Amino acid sequence: MTMSLSPPKSSRPDAVAPQDEEQRLRELGYQPVLARRMGGFGNFAISFSVISVLSGCMTMYGFGLGTGGPAVMMWGWIGVGLFVLTVGLALAEVTSAYPTSGALYYMADRLGGRKWGWYTGWLNLLGLLGAIAGIDYGAALFTGAFLNLRFGFEPTPGSTMLIFMCILLLHAVLNLFGVRLVSVLNSISVWWHIAGVTVIVGALVIVPDHHQSAGFVFTEFVNDTGIDSPVYVAAIGLLLAQYTFSGYDASAHLSEETSNASVTAPRGIVRAIWVSWIAGFALLAGLTFAIQDYAGTVGSETGVPPAQILLDALGDGGATALLLVVIGAQLFCGNAEVAAASRMVFAFSRDNALPGSKLWRRVSSRTQTPVPAVWLSVGMACLIAVPSLYSATAYSAVTAINVIGITPAYAIPIFLKLRAGDRFEPGPWNLGRWSKPIGWIAVSWVAVVTVLFMLPQKAPVNWDTMNYAVFAMAAVLLLATAWWYVARDSYGTPSEAAYGTKREREEIAEGII
């Protein structure tokens, strides 16, 4: 019997009357305070924008060239995409049952208890902040490459960091205008990405006189890591695909601002993954077939190998124009990630889980946006990227921080749902009889990649080549453990803490915060 990746009939929106999402939110323990102004396409668009193949694939392409080369990039994309789809399907099912801004940590709390929710929340927060840092720092790298091609600007770690901080500021400001603007920008982002991939791949197919062979694209293995084991190198080379395929929990984090979220949020997650899977394969294939000089691409003076591919294949004018397309996509991506992370900060603070929660859970009465949470998100992302000033391999570590933070956070509620068995009450979007097999595949895959991306990525291992993701993970878990003993009495889901103090609830009702 063949399996369909479409949800069973009972999970389709035309088979289930839309439920009262505001009432459902109250049943889950929260007073609605965010504006529900996002539709189904907007919800899909935010996850698609965060995955952003024009951000993840392009910024990590240089890493892939030396860590397995074309063979690992192409086959890794296919394999990782398939496994990520199982994670997305399983996570979508739990999202349908618990459509809240807290998303992963709230699911874990309801299915496993307070400590499960607590640690899931901290891991999810680490991953989201690492994603902002990785996305916007990647946009800064590509902006530096564009300035190099157009004006002869020589990117340095210091100048790249300054560009990065300007991008963070832009995204903070855009997110202060409310979810409606975020939704509009994400909708534009979908078409920008699709058109961008089409134009880039089309130009790389039509313009160059020379293309690599299919044998090169799908079988060429390259190892510039200094590590002897090809199996090890191929395994860590999967980071390109796994890093790109992250952030689709954004649909869940925006569920309190989405109409009919119990159906549209899970659909948004799954659709964002499979559309990105197709688009990313086309993009990676187009780039790799168009490589003119492998060594020159790896050692590009622009600092960005895809920029060198465009330059060699299309000339200065074409490369400059298409770099602007890529940078635009990366800016859309980073803006969407700031929206998702800020909602996570807001929700976690609503449950008194963060130091200074009373501040971070405040919502603007004018825009119904968690303004302090936006500023905290971009500020912490900036700190995560600071090691890039001193270490050439730090950017890979930043991307690994995203993967090892957010990916386990995806698996925990899935595992707890499996453990709960019949006690789990599915929402209107569900997998039916496929729930358990897909769930166990998803959990197993996450266990593997979490270990992989804490491993060293180059040899010999020293302070310059160390994978700092291990230290970030340890620091967050230590902070979470220490803070648990301070905040455990006030942390709770659902509880009085979810609504804040009596005075705060009165202010929310009066529209003051």
Side-chain angles (χ1 to χ4, degrees):
M1 180 179 293
T2 59
M3 172 190 160
S4 170
L5 292 181
S6 299
K9 184 175 181 180
S10 63
S11 68
R12 294 173 184 159
D14 59 356
V16 181
Q19 64 180 12
D20 184 340
E21 296 292 350
E22 303 291 54
Q23 179 57 35
R24 176 57 180 156
L25 189 60
R26 293 185 182 94
E27 292 171 0
L28 295 174
Y30 296 116
Q31 178 69 26
V33 296
L34 300 175
R36 202 174 287 275
R37 296 170 180 164
M38 182 176 285
F41 184 81
N43 187 275
F44 148 73
I46 192 166
S47 282
F48 181 75
S49 297
V50 172
I51 292 175
S52 181
V53 295
L54 284 173
S55 178
C57 291
M58 298 293 268
T59 55
M60 291 297 289
Y61 193 83
F63 172 86
L65 287 175
T67 314
V72 173
M73 285 195 287
M74 298 308 301
W75 292 109
W77 182 265
I78 295 171
V80 170
L82 179 61
F83 282 113
V84 168
L85 186 58
T86 67
V87 178
L89 286 164
L91 184 63
E93 182 176 45
V94 191
T95 298
S96 180
Y98 304 113
T100 73
S101 294
L104 309 179
Y105 90 85
Y106 180 88
M107 302 170 194
D109 187 293
R110 289 296 296 265
L111 292 168
R114 296 171 74 235
K115 276 197 172 183
W116 281 103
W118 179 268
Y119 282 101
T120 301
W122 280 94
L123 287 171
N124 190 196
L125 185 60
L126 172 66
L128 289 168
L129 296 176
I132 297 174
I135 294 162
D136 281 0
Y137 196 85
L141 289 171
F142 271 75
T143 302
F146 169 79
L147 295 174
N148 175 268
L149 287 177
R150 186 70 181 83
F151 304 107
F153 171 81
E154 293 295 332
T156 65
S159 62
T160 302
M161 180 61 68
L162 183 60
I163 297 170
F164 167 65
M165 293 172 68
C166 291
I167 293 172
L168 285 176
L169 180 61
L170 170 66
H171 287 154
V173 171
L174 288 174
N175 271 272
L176 298 182
F177 285 99
V179 74
R180 183 165 290 168
L181 176 61
V182 171
S183 183
V184 169
L185 290 173
N186 288 332
S187 297
I188 296 171
S189 172
V190 172
W191 302 112
W192 184 283
H193 276 80
I194 292 173
V197 170
T198 302
V199 170
I200 291 171
V201 173
L204 292 175
V205 169
I206 296 170
V207 176
D209 294 328
H210 168 73
H211 290 91
Q212 299 290 343
S213 66
F216 172 86
V217 172
F218 290 100
T219 64
E220 183 72 14
F221 182 85
V222 179
N223 178 11
D224 293 333
T225 64
I227 300 169
D228 293 333
S229 171
V231 174
Y232 182 101
V233 173
I236 61 174
L238 299 178
L239 177 60
L240 180 154
Q242 187 66 48
Y243 166 68
T244 305
F245 279 118
S246 63
Y248 44 87
D249 58 316
S251 290
H253 289 296
L254 272 291
S255 58
E256 289 184 33
E257 296 160 88
T258 302
S259 301
N260 195 23
S262 298
V263 171
T264 53
R267 287 184 66 197
I269 291 172
V270 176
R271 185 183 299 173
I273 293 171
W274 70 256
V275 174
S276 298
W277 193 14
I278 296 170
F281 180 83
L283 179 63
L284 289 174
L287 286 169
T288 310
F289 272 110
I291 292 175
Q292 306 296 304
D293 176 5
Y294 203 94
T297 299
V298 173
S300 173
E301 291 183 2
T302 67
V304 178
Q308 192 64 47
I309 293 174
L310 297 176
L311 184 63
D312 293 342
L314 308 175
D316 288 358
T320 301
L322 293 184
L323 273 179
L324 283 176
V325 173
V326 174
I327 292 168
Q330 292 170 338
L331 294 177
F332 280 123
C333 174
N335 190 64
E337 187 61 45
V338 169
S342 62
R343 271 51 175 191
M344 169 60 197
V345 170
F346 158 76
F348 216 27
S349 299
R350 182 172 57 181
D351 284 315
N352 288 322
L354 296 178
S357 286
K358 186 175 180 180
L359 171 62
W360 311 126
R361 67 174 172 244
R362 295 180 71 88
V363 176
S364 166
S365 60
R366 183 174 62 86
T367 63
Q368 292 181 276
T369 298
V371 173
V374 170
W375 288 114
L376 179 65
S377 298
V378 297
M380 293 305 297
C382 186
L383 290 178
I384 288 174
V386 166
S388 296
L389 283 168
Y390 311 103
S391 170
T393 60
Y395 181 68
S396 295
V398 169
T399 59
I401 286 171
N402 169 225
V403 172
I404 68 171
I406 209 166
T407 309
Y410 290 160
I412 291 171
I414 298 170
F415 167 74
L416 293 173
K417 179 208 71 174
L418 293 167
R419 193 182 70 167
D422 293 337
R423 290 187 292 108
F424 171 70
E425 297 182 9
W429 195 105
N430 60 80
L431 298 172
R433 66 183 183 276
W434 294 105
S435 179
K436 288 184 179 180
I438 289 176
W440 282 116
I441 292 171
V443 170
S444 300
W445 172 249
V446 169
V448 170
V449 297
T450 302
V451 174
L452 281 182
F453 301 135
M454 288 192 287
L455 299 174
Q457 297 168 347
K458 285 187 177 293
V461 179
N462 53 43
W463 287 112
D464 290 329
T465 61
M466 172 64 68
N467 185 347
Y468 293 97
V470 177
F471 298 106
M473 170 75 89
V476 165
L477 291 177
L478 286 172
L479 176 60
T481 301
W483 191 248
W484 168 258
Y485 290 102
V486 175
R488 59 182 173 178
D489 291 337
S490 60
Y491 169 72
T493 308
S495 69
E496 187 78 359
Y499 297 88
T501 65
K502 179 180 178 181
R503 177 58 185 159
E504 286 177 317
R505 296 197 305 277
E506 292 171 351
E507 289 176 343
I508 288 172
E510 295 167 6
I512 297 174
I513 61 173

